[in-house]
Structure formats: structure tokens, C-alpha cells
Amino acid sequence: MSRVHNFSAGPATLPVEVLEKVQSELVNYRGKGSSLIEMSHRGPEYTEVHQQAITRLKRILNADEGWNVLFLGGGASTQFLMLPQNFLNQERTADYINTGSWSKKAIKEARLFGNVHIPYSGEEGQFTHIPEDSELNLSDDATYLHFTSNNTIFGTQFRKEPASNGALLACDASSDFLSRPIDLDRYGMIYAGAQKNLGPAGVTVVMIHDRFLEKILDGEKTPTMLKYQTHLEKLFNTPPVFGVYMVNYVLEWIEEKGGLDYFDEINRKKADLLYGEIDKDDYYRGTADEGSRSFMNVTWRLPSEELEAKFLQEAAENDLVALKGHRSVGGIRASIYNACGYESVEALVDFMQTFRKNNG
Ligand SMILES: *Cc1c(COP(=O)(O)O)cnc(C)c1O
């Protein structure tokens, strides 16, 4: 059986090596007579996997001792509320850069807990632009600055971390986590739903640094499950074991391939190939500003909606699937995360050339 070229934005394609490995030990995990996901989350087998995933993640990111790693449920969307609930109140202000739908959702939750200042909003420009530092109108003493490193829907991405006027960065990295090296020194927190670049849906990676925890609120009125301290102290409740199990193998795969430097290079190559095709003439039109383009989610339009529908249908007939743009923006979107191979992007570009020739 052959697999399709899957450009899904999320849940997204996973390394076939990882799927096969999980398949091979799903019924009988290492001679134990049951799968890992049928064992206690406090037993030695799962504990080893959980710890291994934390160790691997920190090694891949070159994270220092001060970083704490949590694997939580509730998706990245729950972090939209947990972050401000634990760090923001009416006496404090957080800066939130607004670069798209996910940023807006994070801002909406933060306003429930404290003061939110927006140093930049891309909304009037239909979120096609990522601000330069000079475009940011930052607060004087923000408790943190929140940004969405990659905007899955609009196909834009920060090339580097934004200026923050000394505030620690809190980043929603759901759709570009582990796609390239990052300098963690300015971060207080970074979180990512696994289903884009890291594993199956159901687990969210949350990394919090000790220097940020110095600012955590005592949270007297905060429900137990929503306090970071609850999860930092110990494994409080059943973690999303299947997700962590698969994430651990994806992390192993990342290391075997050559770590973040490898993915940085190959992801650039994939994006260059695809944007190169889009930029050849006016037939395909990239929707993001050139300097703001995402290396993970590539978005473009065709001359008409009829041609876009035809493009999607014929692409699918050629095993190129999940290319439809997000319902809020339309057009075409190819999500080319770590596990989407170079050969899939080549197949897509070949198809784009043929389609242009036949329908130009
Ligand atoms: C998908 C996505 C989310 C939402 O993640 P859930 O796990 O579904 O809550 C948040 N932020 C970004 C940038 C995303 O791409």
C-alpha cells in the first residue's frame, strides 16, 4: 500500500518510520503482553518513555537546566488561558502581538485575566505581514510578550524572535516547533500542540523556564488542574500517554536525521522550491508578504476560484491531498512540516507546472 503526499495543516503527516514502529509494538510492547497504552502511567515502562521524551526534547533544543517540560492535554488552546491565568492579573500588563486567528484567540483569553497591550496588529492588512521590530509599540514593563511564531492559517512566520523591551517571550510555536534551531535565552515559555510538527493530537508540549516561574501568581482561586505548579510538582493525573509515546519516537527520528540544523536546511529547501514555482509568473499568487512568508504553511491563489477547485480535485487524483486553504481565507495551502518529505514537495511542484500548462 502506498501513502499519499499529505499536505494537511493538522493533524498532519507523521514519519512513516514512527508509524511502523508503533504499529509493530502496539499489541505487545517489548514482550510485556500488552500495549504501552494499556499500562499504568506510573509504571516503569511508561515512566521511561515520559522521561526519555523530556530528555530528548531538551537535548534537541539545547535547553539548559532551568527548563521544565510538561506534556498536557487540552491542546494549545488551553494554553491560551493557562498562561494568563497563572501570570497575569489586573495589576500587570502583557504584550500580545496580533498576527492572525490564533493570536486573536490567545488575546481574547488573556483579557479575562489582566491588561493586554497590542504592540502590533496585522488585522487591517489581512494578516499578510509579520512586523519588523521598528513596527512594534511595546509596553515599558510587560510581564511577558506573547507571539505566534508561525501563523498556520495565513502562511506567515517570524524570521526571528520579536523585540520585547526586556520582557520574557511566551510563544505559541504550535506550527513550527522543532522546525529550526531557536535561541531559548529570551524565552520564558514556549508551547505547541503536537499535531502539526511533533506527533498525534491530544498532547501539548509546554516548556517553562525557572526565570519565568519567579513571576507566577500564587493562584489561590485557580482550579488545581489549571495551575502550572500542579503539573510541575509531580505527574498529577493521567498524561496523554499515547501522544507522549509517539512524540518520543518522533523526537528520536529528529535526532537520527540530524537534529534541528538538518530540518532547518531541508525545510528551507522545500519552501524555496515551492515559492520558486509560485513566483515564476502571475499564474500562482502567494498571499503572504515576501519577507513574512512561512516555511511551514505555504499559501497561494490561482486566477479564479473555479481554477482553485479544479486544482484541488486534480491534485487529489494525483495523490496530492489536503491542499485546500483554511475556510477563513480560501485558496491553496500546502503544509510542509518536518515529516513532509522533499519528494512530496517535488511531486507538488511537478503537478503545479503541468496544471499551469493545461489551464494557463
Ligand atoms: C493548530 C494551532 C493551535 C490550536 O491548537 P489546538 O491543539 O487545536 O488547541 C494554536 N495555535 C497555532 C499556531 C496552531 O497552528
Side-chain angles (χ1 to χ4, degrees):
M1 194 202 86
S2 70
R3 281 167 55 83
V4 293
H5 298 290
N6 182 357
F7 298 96
S8 172
T13 191
L14 286 162
V16 70
E17 298 94 318
V18 170
L19 294 172
E20 283 172 348
K21 194 158 182 173
V22 169
Q23 182 185 43
S24 76
E25 57 186 29
L26 192 61
V27 172
N28 185 354
Y29 183 77
R30 300 183 188 177
K32 298 285 174 192
S34 79
S35 66
L36 184 72
I37 59 173
E38 298 166 293
M39 296 180 195
S40 168
H41 58 289
R42 304 195 188 274
E45 293 83 6
Y46 179 74
T47 302
E48 186 191 356
V49 167
H50 196 98
Q51 288 309 320
Q52 207 168 46
I54 292 172
T55 304
R56 281 192 172 126
L57 181 60
K58 289 179 74 170
R59 196 162 56 215
I60 289 167
L61 279 166
N62 215 354
D64 67 41
E65 281 308 299
W67 281 100
N68 307 280
V69 178
L70 303 173
F71 295 113
L72 301 180
S77 300
T78 298
Q79 297 312 306
F80 294 164
L81 78 94
M82 271 180 87
L83 165 62
Q85 185 158 35
N86 283 267
F87 287 95
L88 202 56
N89 61 20
Q90 295 305 332
E91 277 88 60
R92 294 180 176 182
T93 298
D95 281 1
Y96 274 73
I97 300 178
N98 182 11
T99 52
S101 314
W102 299 115
S103 302
K104 278 173 72 174
K105 288 184 173 170
I107 289 164
K108 178 167 180 253
E109 301 303 291
R111 285 195 167 126
L112 299 172
F113 298 98
N115 302 299
V116 174
H117 171 73
I118 313 289
Y120 171 86
S121 174
E123 188 149 25
E124 275 182 27
Q126 272 74 51
F127 294 122
T128 54
H129 180 69
I130 294 293
E132 302 287 334
D133 286 349
S134 59
E135 296 172 83
L136 299 175
N137 165 29
L138 298 164
S139 299
D140 284 334
D141 61 346
T143 304
Y144 59 86
L145 176 136
H146 183 277
F147 71 110
T148 313
S149 52
N150 183 75
N151 299 284
T152 327
I153 294 173
F154 295 98
T156 61
Q157 184 178 26
F158 280 85
R159 280 286 94 76
K160 60 172 184 60
E161 287 77 13
S164 62
N165 204 6
L168 289 173
L169 301 174
C171 178
D172 174 4
S174 292
S175 53
D176 68 355
F177 193 54
L178 305 187
S179 69
R180 58 181 177 182
I182 48 171
D183 179 3
L184 284 174
D185 287 352
R186 288 183 53 218
Y187 288 81
M189 173 166 156
I190 182 162
Y191 62 94
Q195 70 273 21
K196 312 293 174 33
N197 210 17
L198 207 59
V203 56
T204 306
V205 176
V206 179
M207 295 180 64
I208 309 182
H209 199 274
D210 287 342
R211 59 181 165 251
F212 195 36
L213 290 174
E214 287 169 14
K215 296 173 195 262
I216 203 161
L217 299 165
D218 68 14
E220 241 178 302
K221 293 265 167 66
T222 305
T224 310
M225 273 295 282
L226 296 179
K227 282 195 239 189
Y228 288 121
Q229 292 297 7
T230 302
H231 305 283
L232 289 163
E233 276 163 21
K234 58 174 195 282
L235 201 60
F236 177 73
N237 71 321
T238 318
V241 291
F242 189 67
V244 176
Y245 170 44
M246 285 194 75
V247 165
N248 185 39
Y249 282 149
V250 173
L251 295 172
E252 179 183 53
W253 173 82
I254 289 174
E255 286 199 302
E256 281 172 3
K257 287 279 180 187
L260 299 188
D261 287 330
Y262 168 83
F263 283 101
D264 190 24
E265 196 185 323
I266 191 79
N267 287 334
R268 270 168 204 276
K269 274 194 191 150
K270 291 184 309 196
D272 283 350
L273 184 63
L274 196 41
Y275 285 118
E277 190 56 38
I278 289 169
D279 290 341
K280 261 192 192 157
D281 56 28
D282 292 338
Y283 188 73
Y284 299 116
R285 281 175 296 115
T287 55
D289 282 6
E290 221 167 297
S292 305
R293 285 171 162 180
S294 169
F295 293 172
M296 296 277 99
N297 309 95
V298 179
T299 52
W300 72 94
R301 307 293 311 234
L302 270 72
S304 70
E305 285 187 16
E306 291 68 36
L307 281 169
E308 286 170 353
K310 189 168 185 226
F311 180 96
L312 291 170
Q313 192 197 325
E314 290 183 15
E317 287 163 9
N318 286 277
D319 285 344
L320 301 156
V321 309
L323 285 161
K324 196 172 168 38
H326 189 270
R327 60 190 182 281
S328 62
V329 294
I332 313 293
R333 170 176 59 178
S335 299
I336 52 174
Y337 304 121
N338 287 356
C340 174
Y342 189 80
E343 67 288 350
S344 288
V345 179
E346 277 181 320
L348 174 58
V349 166
D350 279 351
F351 169 77
M352 288 167 74
Q353 289 171 355
T354 308
F355 190 87
R356 183 205 274 111
K357 210 179 297 160
N358 295 340
N359 299 277

